[in-house]
């Protein structure tokens, strides 16, 4: 039985998804990465050589991308190459970018107004 307080999980790619590369080869973290780390169970899903370094830095687990027989399971996949890797994972929904994920999953809640009886 799933714990109702358990945060949804995300398989998160690094290159061109969590890390934004500049023309000079340097990179920055995506501006909304910290939001994901705070509100979701993030699992780094990447084939970068420094995968474990990022996992330690962000204090999250990691899975090496591309094992044909592993099929990691999560609620979401966020990867700029979603079409290529969707067949290698078991997820409910996939997004090509963090921005698309945030726009779809973290929609602002409409404020309810309570009318007073006169």
């Amino acid at each position: 039985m799933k714990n109702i307080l358990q945060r949804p999980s995300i398989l998160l790619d690094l290159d061109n998804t969590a890390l934004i590369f500049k023309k000079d080869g340097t990179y920055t973290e995506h501006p909304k990465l910290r939001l994901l780390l705070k509100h979701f169970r993030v699992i780094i899903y990447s084939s970068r050589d420094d995968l474990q370094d990022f996992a330690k830095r962000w204090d999250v687990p990691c899975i090496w991308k591309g094992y044909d027989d592993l099929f990691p399971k999560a609620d979401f996949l966020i990867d700029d190459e979603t079409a290529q890797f969707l067949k290698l994972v078991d997820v409910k929904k996939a997004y090509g970018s963090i921005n698309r994920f945030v726009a779809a999953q973290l929609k602002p809640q409409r404020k309810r107004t309570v009318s007073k009886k006169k």
Side-chain angles (χ1 to χ4, degrees):
M1 185 163 125
K2 188 173 181 179
N3 181 346
I4 61 171
L5 298 177
Q6 188 176 21
R7 298 180 296 167
S9 57
I10 298 172
L11 292 173
L12 181 64
D13 176 52
L14 289 176
D15 288 340
N16 301 314
T17 305
L19 304 176
I20 308 300
F21 284 86
K22 300 176 185 176
K23 290 180 182 180
D24 65 1
T26 61
Y27 63 84
T28 59
E29 292 180 2
H30 190 284
K32 294 179 181 161
L33 174 64
R34 295 296 164 181
L35 176 81
L36 296 184
L37 294 171
K38 181 177 179 181
H39 294 287
F40 295 89
R41 287 184 309 117
V42 173
I43 303 157
I44 299 174
Y45 182 58
S46 177
S47 57
R48 285 182 60 102
D49 291 337
D50 54 357
L51 165 70
Q52 291 185 358
D53 295 338
F54 284 99
K56 286 178 186 175
R57 182 183 310 169
W58 298 335
D59 194 27
V60 297
C62 62
I63 297 173
W64 182 261
K65 183 189 273 188
Y67 287 122
D68 290 338
D69 58 347
L70 186 58
F71 292 100
K73 185 175 184 176
D75 295 302
F76 304 102
L77 169 66
I78 305 175
D79 191 329
D80 66 312
E81 296 178 340
T82 298
Q84 181 179 350
F85 291 99
L86 191 55
K87 62 185 175 248
L88 298 176
V89 297
D90 180 4
V91 295
K92 296 175 186 172
K93 192 132 183 156
Y95 296 90
S97 73
I98 292 174
N99 289 340
R100 287 184 186 141
F101 172 81
V102 169
Q105 295 297 321
L106 300 177
K107 295 176 185 171
Q109 299 293 321
R110 289 184 180 174
K111 292 183 180 178
R112 290 185 174 181
T113 56
V114 177
S115 60
K116 295 180 182 179
K117 291 184 179 181
K118 292 182 180 182

